[in-house]
Amino acid sequence: MYGTVLDEWLTVLSHLSLHARHITIHGHLKTWRRRQVEGITLRYDHAGLPLGDIVLLWNADDPTYMAVDLGTALERLAWVRSRRPWQELIFGRQARAASPTVLDAIRTATLLIGQGITPAARGAGSVTHKIIDAIPSSMAVLGLSAAIRESHAFWTIAAPLSASWGDVARRLEES
């Protein structure tokens, strides 16, 4: 299974113009263990640029339960293909409007709130609350809707969010 997934992933990368002849796979087949999970991790580069890793995971008690994690973000693949400045690639026209920390906080908060994880003092919502704290309140005075709208569109590519960008903007600006 691991070999098949790796072969198919190399095909996907080739379709993205990241051809297999420039891919270097490195690591070892030593099994690692974290609590109930065991696995093997291999890393790969394209023409000397690290792309990510591919991890074969299985349940330590019942190895018939397996999964493969392709540890490459879409942004990383887009960067390797385009070589555009990272902030411009990730944040588009918002890249110069605020610091990367603030823009990343807006983007992350959009995902969390868009999936129903609202700010709270405890539990999962405490993470949302901490991320929102990285956004200066002075930015909310003029509105965050453009950045939230772009972030919402980005996250919706992978899967629809449960809240509209308008609802996310209202909750984020109120926080």
Side-chain angles (χ1 to χ4, degrees), residues 15-175:
H15 286 298
L16 296 173
S17 300
L18 303 172
H19 300 290
R21 69 179 172 270
H22 300 293
I23 301 285
T24 304
I25 300 171
H26 50 94
H28 50 81
L29 298 178
K30 182 179 176 185
T31 302
W32 50 261
R33 182 177 179 135
R34 291 189 190 103
R35 293 184 296 277
Q36 304 91 344
V37 178
E38 291 183 344
I40 297 168
T41 302
L42 296 175
R43 302 193 186 297
Y44 55 96
D45 304 337
H46 178 267
L49 290 172
L51 284 181
D53 56 32
I54 183 167
V55 183
L56 174 64
L57 307 161
W58 60 87
N59 181 301
D61 297 327
D62 186 355
T64 60
Y65 291 99
M66 300 178 81
V68 175
D69 176 17
L70 298 171
T72 304
L74 295 176
E75 296 98 335
R76 183 102 178 128
L77 292 174
W79 175 77
V80 168
R81 288 190 67 217
S82 72
R83 305 293 172 98
R84 289 173 45 203
W86 181 256
Q87 289 181 339
E88 178 186 309
L89 176 74
I90 300 305
F91 301 117
R93 56 193 181 120
Q94 304 291 325
R96 295 194 177 139
S99 74
T101 302
V102 170
L103 293 170
D104 193 49
I106 292 169
R107 188 171 170 192
T108 304
T110 298
L111 173 64
L112 295 174
I113 293 170
Q115 289 297 346
I117 305 171
T118 56
R122 305 177 96 187
S126 68
V127 173
T128 307
H129 182 73
K130 288 176 187 172
I131 290 168
I132 291 172
D133 281 347
I135 305 168
S137 58
S138 60
M139 290 194 70
V141 172
L142 294 175
L144 302 170
S145 63
I148 293 168
R149 199 168 41 250
E150 285 190 23
S151 295
H152 195 280
F154 171 81
W155 292 120
T156 303
I157 291 170
L161 299 179
S162 59
S164 71
W165 75 265
D167 288 340
V168 172
R170 182 183 49 76
R171 289 182 187 171
L172 191 50
E173 288 172 350
E174 286 172 356
S175 296

